Amino acid sequence: MQGRWGGGPAKWWHGEFRGCGYRITIPRQIILQVLDESKEHLSAEDIYLKVHNIYPAIGLTTVYRTLELLINMGLVFKFDFGDGRARYELSRGAKEPSHHHHLICTKCGRIIDYTDFVDEELELIKKTEKELSKKYNFEIKNHTIQFYGLCDECSDKEK
Ligand SMILES: [Zn+2]
Ligand SMILES: [Zn+2]
Ligand SMILES: [Zn+2]
């Protein structure tokens, strides 16, 4: 398993593993790589199929278990976009800016990732995080934000 998955430049998650005391096993490395290269919000089955192509020895159970570990480490976010399948995404990416919020159409399931935040949005989040950490003595490291509604196409059809 040298080459594409074994070597290459160190990714940001290598440091996170060192910090947690977990080993970067091949399944962990490949799952992170698949998430890193994906532009979509993958379900566990999607991830399994992609990983399986590269590394056929992996089973679905390992994929689920690895995802849970990566979520606990804060490397991966798990989302429920309301279509009954959990979706996974890296908490940050190689390409900046990767931090984004979601607009989710509850009718067609379209998910819009946006990074062009409204000014008030950033201000509100910064303020809210500051107040929350004070109030609960809680160190906030990240957040996810989802807005649910109808996309332009779906709201057109409703009229
Ligand atoms: Zn944000
Ligand atoms: Zn829609
Ligand atoms: Zn997203």
Side-chain angles (χ1 to χ4, degrees), residues 20 28 53 64 72 83 86 112 120 131 151:
C20 289
R28 289 171 190 171
N53 269 338
Y64 274 114
N72 289 337
D83 64 351
I112 300 169
E120 288 86 345
E131 290 299 317
C151 71

Side-chain angles (χ1 to χ4, degrees), residues 12 89-101 113-115 117:
W12 59 268
E89 185 169 82
L90 281 188
S91 61
R92 54 192 167 107
K95 298 161 230 87
E96 293 300 330
S98 66
H99 180 75
H100 59 266
H101 296 171
D113 283 346
Y114 71 92
T115 52
F117 305 112

Side-chain angles (χ1 to χ4, degrees), residues 17 23 32 38 85 106 120 124 126 141 145-146 151:
F17 271 94
R23 279 194 324 120
L32 285 164
S38 168
R85 292 169 100 194
T106 50
E120 288 86 345
L124 175 70
K126 240 192 255 161
K141 304 242 195 204
I145 292 181
Q146 266 93 253
C151 71

Side-chain angles (χ1 to χ4, degrees), residues 104-110 149-155 157:
I104 297 149
C105 180
T106 50
K107 203 161 181 192
C108 70
R110 186 169 156 208
L150 296 175
C151 71
D152 52 354
E153 275 174 41
C154 292
S155 57
K157 278 181 213 145

Side-chain angles (χ1 to χ4, degrees), residues 3-93:
R4 191 167 176 216
W5 304 104
K11 295 280 192 176
W12 59 268
W13 54 73
H14 286 240
E16 302 287 327
F17 271 94
R18 234 171 280 128
C20 289
Y22 287 113
R23 279 194 324 120
I24 308 186
T25 60
I26 290 167
R28 289 171 190 171
Q29 172 73 20
I30 294 176
I31 288 173
L32 285 164
Q33 197 83 35
V34 161
L35 286 168
D36 194 38
E37 287 175 2
S38 168
K39 276 159 200 69
E40 292 151 76
H41 301 87
L42 301 174
S43 70
E45 290 77 19
D46 297 334
I47 295 167
Y48 167 70
L49 290 176
K50 283 179 190 286
V51 171
H52 192 81
N53 269 338
I54 302 158
Y55 188 59
I58 203 163
L60 188 57
T61 320
T62 308
V63 171
Y64 274 114
R65 240 190 268 129
T66 307
L67 285 170
E68 285 308 313
L69 173 81
L70 299 175
I71 292 162
N72 289 337
M73 288 174 69
L75 301 183
V76 170
F77 284 143
K78 184 180 184 178
F79 293 103
D80 177 4
F81 291 138
D83 64 351
R85 292 169 100 194
R87 308 275 167 172
Y88 301 86
E89 185 169 82
L90 281 188
S91 61
R92 54 192 167 107

